[in-house]
Amino acid sequence: MLHFPSANSAAHRPSDRDVAILGGLLGDDVWAFSNCRVDAPGKPVAEIDWLFYNVRHGTLMVSEWKGFPQRVVSATDTGEPWRLDGGMAVPNPIEQVSRQLDAVRSVLRAEILPQHFPAFDPQQLLLMQSVYSPQVDGGTAIERIRWGKVYGSLPALAAVISNSTSRSPLVMSEEGARLRVATALCALFRTTLPTEVKAKLRGPLAGGDTDFVQRISAIHRQIAALHVELADLTLIARVSVTVQPRPAATRTAPAPVSPTLTEHQRMNAHLAQSFQGVNGNSDAAAKALAKAWKLVLADPLLHGETGISISLFGSVGTPLVKRHHGSLPKVLGMPLRKWCVLQARAAGMKPLDVPGKPSNIRVR
């Protein structure tokens, strides 16, 4: 897979792990543009999670990626919300990706086809659409979707991207056109053209080194994914290690040693890490909050005598979303405490009320 990430340094980024998985599943005939910004005349600015272009088959797909606090119970076609475990209704992502597809199709017809595919009839341009959510599983009731598909696993999504064909394929007439088309698409969708990708688009290296270069690129992606995972584990380990008390000289219980970080600092560390690279996209902010709350739930030093402080989580998290979205309940679609309880249950925990502390919960 040739990956063209967003040129906006403040834009949300896909996880390195997901990029590495896709890179292992998709060949270099698949171009993947992530976190694109599309300005189509007469339409609202569209933020696209992924645009896939299989240049060998001439197929294109707009894909919306969604993370939900609980598993998806039912995924319906347009006109109805999706339902999660516990009965929560969420906006239908099929409707969202349909609007995005309209914007992508409009700009391709106006900006790309006339210059790079002059013989192609713009009215014949076909794009697939999909929604990927890891909370979709074998038990999800997926209604017959008229336009597009819903996927719960990356291998299933990648298989469609790799193998689908079109009755009106958008295929380049010559190999040399690939770099020109890729450059134009990057400019249109505000993504970057990495140096190693540009080298591949220029053609095979002398001496038959193409496979060697591809393998080095794959290794770099895998190393990047491992570094992200190690960073997460390091932070959790750093804030989770309890300091052992010194041996007592008497039978009297020793006074506990103060932890290195305060409760506020620990909470702030989890939220700051989770919001790295998140911009004004409300879905990205909600995902970052979910990631931070999972880190809090996994941090035993935030489980004090009075439980976990939801109010502290809210006070630290509010400045991260207030500028773009106003309040945490607005981003989450419900009161913060209710959302935290649902998240804990989704993680397999049993949240309990704390007498006299309505903003705190205990989990077990």
Side-chain angles (χ1 to χ4, degrees), residues 56-80:
R56 179 181 295 274
H57 293 161
T59 53
L60 299 107
M61 175 191 284
V62 177
S63 187
E64 174 69 12
W65 288 29
K66 287 291 186 184
F68 297 106
Q70 290 87 37
R71 64 177 293 273
V72 178
V73 175
S74 65
T76 56
D77 199 3
T78 57
E80 294 289 336

Side-chain angles (χ1 to χ4, degrees), residues 6 23 29 57 91 119 144 150 155 186-187 212 217 225 237 247 274 281 289 303 305 308 318 327 336:
S6 174
D29 283 331
H57 293 161
R144 186 174 183 272
V150 175
C186 285
F212 180 66
S217 179
S274 301
N281 183 287
L289 288 167
H303 297 230
E305 292 183 1
I308 305 174
T318 294
S327 68
L336 176 61

